[in-house]
Amino acid sequence: MSHLTLRTEYSFRKCFLPMKDIHKYVEGGVVGICDENNTYGHIPLQIEAEKHGFIPVFGVRLAVVWPDTEQRKCDALSCFIATSQDGLRNLNHLVSQAWNQFYYFPRLFPDQADLPGVIEIDATDDNLYGDVEDREVYELMAGSHKRGDEYSYSFQRRTWPGHVIPNEPMVGTFRHLHIPRGEMVQVTGKFSIENECRSRMESLRLTGNQEYEDRLARELTVIKEKGFEDYFRIVADMVGWAKERMLVGPARGSSAGSLVCYLLRITEVDPIKFDLVFERFIDINRGDLPDIDVDFPDSQRNQVISYLKKKYGASKVAGLSNINRFNAKSALNEFAKGLGIPLWELDDIKAAEIDRMRGDADADHCLADTFKTPAGEALLAKYPKMELAARVEGHASHAGKHAAAVLVATKPLIEYAPINNRDGVVMLDKYTADYLGLLKIDCLGLTTLSIIQEACESVNIPFSRLYKLSREDGEAYRLINEGRVAGIFQFEGQA
């Protein structure tokens, strides 16, 4: 007996089961997941399978209803699992189709549910949590409503395996299923990064300057060795196209430390003049693509994305999803509401909260460590069950759309994950996209740039003139020193 249709944290508040614990439910070397209306858990499942050596089974829960129904709720969901590589792709098509037909909830019609390599299976694992010990955590996380003194939950037993895999060949089929890695987008044409850089150096009268020559040679060597040339070609082409039509941000983030970015006019800041470090941009010890953050007027960002779709194919370009997770503060608030604790009683512990950046090995243990402080101990002394809040820190809460990121691929993105056309996103976040090796471009739309561009147009000044403004304007720094930063991007508000 095996688990083939487990819900996980990617059923978003409908289940408490962290993906890092999925290996605990392996039976017969196999475990499968079927989250509701999405496949966000598929790549995390594949990563856990590689780590723990079990066979992953990829599935999804979807509503199948008659075309003429106007029902606004569907509790009886069907589970579909992939039994072949074609089935894995068809699973993506099923989910995409369901979202295309969204009416109160994603839905399939009976004649759409039968695709090669996909089988429907009884969902005996309609679990709301993994073990009975997790019940209270689930109730408080999901915000279940009380009936009298009891919570309204429908699952009160331990999650037992409930599926019989028919035969050994099917186990072998599952063993060979995997989500394919992507390939770097190839740029056709005669665009040469080195030639473009040297041409711009000549126009800036920097040719022969040994410091610039050495820096350019060093950066080009790293870029070529890492196979990033096409990435720079794509971004340079996009920015060049945009600068002919709109005001583009001069530079933001670590890309300002690259001479290649400056010479390709991806950025407008000379890194040597301002003593900026290239290694902050590309770490020679890492293989992932560097981040080039590019800012556009928010009123014209869609034009840039339309250009990418026209150039590389509409099916190969889409927005990136964002998985929002419980942090220390949101976990405290959620559990306090469930326990009927006034939020003002959390003021002391929030002030004492230990905060860590994502990527820190202990990033998901901030609340557990905060509970060890005097403020945390005082709260637990009065409300002991608040300790359960630490267990959901880092747990998936809901999915959204990344504010800036756009994926560009060599193949249709539906080969890797479903497409939610309602939101214009592929069901991948930045971590799973990096795992697949897909190209992510950060295109942020800023109201600030729209206002500046409109101001230039209203007084008939070419906005390209702004790129030549002095970086040593004493009056500009005086305004900043005086704290007059309202309306200045990344200066206003609290850091």
Side-chain angles (χ1 to χ4, degrees):
M1 301 289 279
S2 301
H3 294 291
L4 296 186
T5 61
L6 281 174
R7 288 179 183 265
T8 73
E9 60 182 309
Y10 294 100
S11 281
F12 301 128
R13 291 177 177 259
K14 293 187 178 180
C15 175
F16 173 74
L17 201 166
M19 186 60 75
K20 63 183 176 60
D21 294 336
I22 196 70
H23 65 278
K24 298 176 182 178
Y25 303 93
V26 173
E27 296 286 345
V30 175
V31 70
I33 66 169
C34 283
D35 284 306
E36 191 169 326
N37 300 325
N38 73 76
T39 62
Y40 286 114
H42 282 191
I43 292 173
L45 176 67
Q46 182 163 298
I47 292 170
E48 290 300 310
E50 292 168 353
K51 188 187 301 181
H52 295 284
F54 61 81
I55 300 170
V57 179
F58 304 102
V60 67
R61 275 178 166 79
L62 294 168
V64 181
V65 299
W66 293 104
D68 56 352
T69 185
E70 294 185 2
Q71 68 188 80
R72 300 184 178 187
K73 188 178 180 182
C74 182
D75 293 322
L77 302 179
S78 298
C79 286
F80 300 91
I81 65 172
T83 60
S84 68
Q85 282 298 123
D86 286 340
L88 201 51
R89 284 188 290 271
N90 285 334
L91 211 60
N92 294 338
H93 283 278
L94 280 178
V95 179
S96 302
Q97 184 69 28
W99 280 95
N100 286 341
Q101 295 167 171
F102 188 99
Y103 179 71
Y104 287 95
F105 55 85
R107 55 183 62 202
L108 287 176
F109 304 140
D111 62 340
Q112 299 170 334
D114 186 16
L115 288 178
V118 177
I119 61 172
E120 193 170 345
I121 192 168
D122 292 331
T124 59
D125 286 324
D126 196 7
N127 57 302
L128 302 182
Y129 42 85
D131 293 308
V132 288
E133 294 83 0
D134 300 327
R135 193 189 78 187
E136 279 191 293
V137 180
Y138 160 74
E139 290 169 346
L140 292 167
M141 180 196 72
S144 300
H145 298 290
K146 281 188 173 182
R147 289 179 182 170
D149 292 328
E150 294 295 322
Y151 280 94
S152 58
Y153 54 87
S154 59
F155 186 77
Q156 303 180 49
R157 58 183 176 81
R158 196 172 294 274
T159 304
W160 298 106
H163 300 108
V164 177
I165 298 179
N167 49 47
E168 183 61 31
M170 179 166 278
V171 175
T173 298
F174 290 143
R175 179 178 288 113
H176 297 295
L177 285 185
H178 69 281
I179 299 166
R181 300 292 180 100
E183 299 173 357
M184 173 55 67
V185 179
Q186 302 294 313
V187 179
T188 57
K190 298 180 180 179
F191 185 99
S192 164
I193 291 178
E194 183 168 358
N195 290 346
E196 289 292 322
C197 287
R198 295 205 173 280
S199 175
R200 181 94 195 285
M201 276 183 64
E202 186 173 346
S203 67
L204 294 172
R205 298 181 179 180
L206 295 172
T207 303
N209 183 310
Q210 201 58 46
E211 186 176 11
Y212 282 84
E213 293 283 0
D214 291 346
R215 175 72 166 261
L216 178 61
R218 178 162 59 87
E219 289 192 18
L220 287 173
T221 298
V222 172
I223 291 168
K224 289 176 182 177
E225 286 179 351
K226 288 187 166 290
F228 292 165
E229 292 169 283
D230 283 315
Y231 175 53
F232 280 82
R233 290 187 183 105
I234 291 167
V235 177
D237 173 76
M238 176 189 72
V239 173
W241 179 89
K243 281 185 174 177
E244 294 175 0
R245 295 162 175 82
M246 65 192 78
L247 178 61
V248 180
R252 180 164 59 83
S254 60
S255 61
S258 169
L259 180 62
V260 168
C261 285
Y262 173 60
L263 295 176
L264 293 176
R265 293 209 62 198
I266 294 171
T267 66
E268 296 287 342
V269 177
D270 183 340
I272 292 179
K273 182 178 179 181
F274 294 98
D275 199 25
L276 301 178
V277 182
F278 174 68
E279 284 71 20
R280 289 285 302 275
F281 176 52
I282 297 181
D283 185 339
I284 60 173
N285 298 311
R286 293 177 57 182
D288 52 333
L289 287 167
D291 276 335
I292 300 178
D293 300 317
V294 189
D295 302 324
F296 303 99
D298 62 347
S299 59
Q300 292 177 278
R301 177 177 181 268
N302 283 340
Q303 294 179 24
V304 180
I305 296 173
S306 295
Y307 171 73
L308 292 173
K309 288 182 176 180
K310 183 177 180 181
K311 180 147 190 169
Y312 302 105
S315 65
K316 301 172 183 177
V317 177
L320 191 67
S321 297
N322 188 46
I323 303 298
N324 295 280
R325 298 181 177 276
F326 285 99
N327 58 24
K329 206 172 259 76
S330 59
L332 282 170
N333 288 341
E334 199 69 36
F335 278 50
K337 290 175 187 175
L339 292 168
I341 301 170
L343 293 183
W344 62 264
E345 293 210 46
L346 304 179
D347 289 348
D348 287 345
I349 192 171
K350 286 181 179 177
E353 179 193 330
I354 295 170
D355 191 23
R356 300 184 180 103
M357 298 289 290
R358 295 302 301 177
D360 188 303
D362 293 319
D364 293 335
H365 300 103
C366 295
L367 194 49
D369 291 338
T370 302
F371 282 143
K372 298 173 185 177
T373 65
E377 290 173 349
L379 182 72
L380 294 183
K382 190 172 184 180
Y383 303 109
K385 285 196 174 182
M386 278 298 290
E387 190 170 13
L388 295 173
R391 294 189 59 194
V392 302
E393 189 176 5
H395 193 279
S397 170
H398 59 282
K401 184 175 183 177
H402 195 286
V406 178
L407 285 183
V408 181
T410 53
K411 298 178 181 177
L413 285 164
I414 203 167
E415 295 276 323
Y416 308 102
I419 308 294
N420 174 358
N421 280 320
R422 279 172 56 84
D423 299 323
V425 297
V426 61
M427 290 186 181
L428 298 168
D429 67 1
K430 61 181 181 180
Y431 302 107
T432 51
D434 284 345
Y435 170 83
L436 293 179
L438 296 175
L439 172 60
K440 175 175 69 73
I441 303 174
D442 285 323
C443 308
L444 187 62
L446 297 182
T447 305
T448 311
L449 286 178
S450 295
I451 294 171
I452 294 172
Q453 181 171 299
E454 289 172 13
C456 288
E457 291 169 349
S458 68
V459 294
N460 211 22
I461 294 176
F463 53 76
S464 58
R465 187 185 297 179
L466 299 180
Y467 298 130
K468 299 177 183 178
L469 289 176
S470 171
R471 270 69 163 179
E472 299 170 1
D473 188 328
E475 284 298 300
Y477 288 110
R478 183 178 62 79
L479 287 176
I480 294 172
N481 287 333
E482 292 174 357
R484 297 166 63 184
V485 293
I488 302 178
F489 178 59
Q490 292 198 318
F491 276 82
E492 65 179 343
Q494 293 184 347

